Amino acid sequence: RLVGGWERRRLGVRFGSDVWLPRRYDAGEATVGVSVAHALGHLRLCGLPGSESVTVLLCAGARAGVSIARSFGVQAPESRGSLAAAALASAGIRWTPGRTSPNLGLFFEAESALHLTRPRFHTANRPAAYVGNYVALLLLVGAEVRFGVQN
């Protein structure tokens, strides 16, 4: 995940991209199925209450992109894409070590996604090898670098 953003006082806008590397899903037997990857972009509006060193992150937004599947183990393998869209809500906490390094921060965030579309991929005449979820929860831990912060 790569995220950029802009913050002013207690409001922020965050945008970024998520790329999920291909993962294999079997269609009833280990030799037949699909390999699914995701390429997504997201935009979130955030409220940022807190102090100089600890900030609470309260965000809502949307994610959209494409899920791409490639079949394997069938006579004629093929690729197919499907729209992926979700409404997002997240909450987290960011800690800035203090005046010595105001441009660096550590964060923990929990993001929930309500999927508005559910990609579904089949191989030949078999049941679906992959069906997207209705709801997902993603836990994120990381470091951030902020530019333009004054001491």
Side-chain angles (χ1 to χ4, degrees):
R1 173 174 271 197
L2 184 61
V3 177
W6 171 82
E7 293 180 5
R8 185 63 81 204
R9 293 194 176 101
R10 297 290 168 220
L11 286 177
V13 175
R14 293 181 174 218
F15 53 88
S17 63
D18 295 326
V19 176
W20 298 61
L21 298 176
R23 181 173 173 195
R24 290 172 63 109
Y25 296 90
D26 299 332
E29 52 187 90
T31 59
V32 177
V34 294
S35 179
V36 180
H38 307 279
L40 309 163
H42 58 89
L43 179 65
R44 297 181 293 162
L45 180 61
C46 301
L48 306 166
S51 66
E52 239 180 76
S53 61
V54 177
T55 305
V56 176
L57 310 168
L58 301 170
C59 304
R63 177 172 62 206
V66 65
S67 295
I68 303 165
R70 174 132 179 102
S71 58
F72 61 85
V74 294
Q75 186 82 16
E78 58 184 53
S79 295
R80 195 179 119 208
S82 180
L83 175 68
L88 304 175
S90 62
I93 190 163
R94 175 178 62 204
W95 173 69
T96 304
R99 293 196 173 276
T100 57
S101 54
N103 296 350
L104 300 175
L106 301 173
F107 68 89
F108 172 78
E109 194 170 352
E111 178 181 273
S112 61
L114 174 61
H115 292 121
L116 307 173
T117 61
R118 294 181 62 212
R120 177 183 302 261
F121 298 111
H122 300 268
T123 54
N125 293 326
R126 300 175 190 275
Y130 174 84
V131 178
N133 297 323
Y134 284 114
V135 177
L137 178 65
L138 183 63
L139 300 176
L140 302 162
V141 176
E144 67 179 22
V145 177
R146 292 180 283 152
F147 301 97
V149 176
Q150 304 295 322
N151 283 341

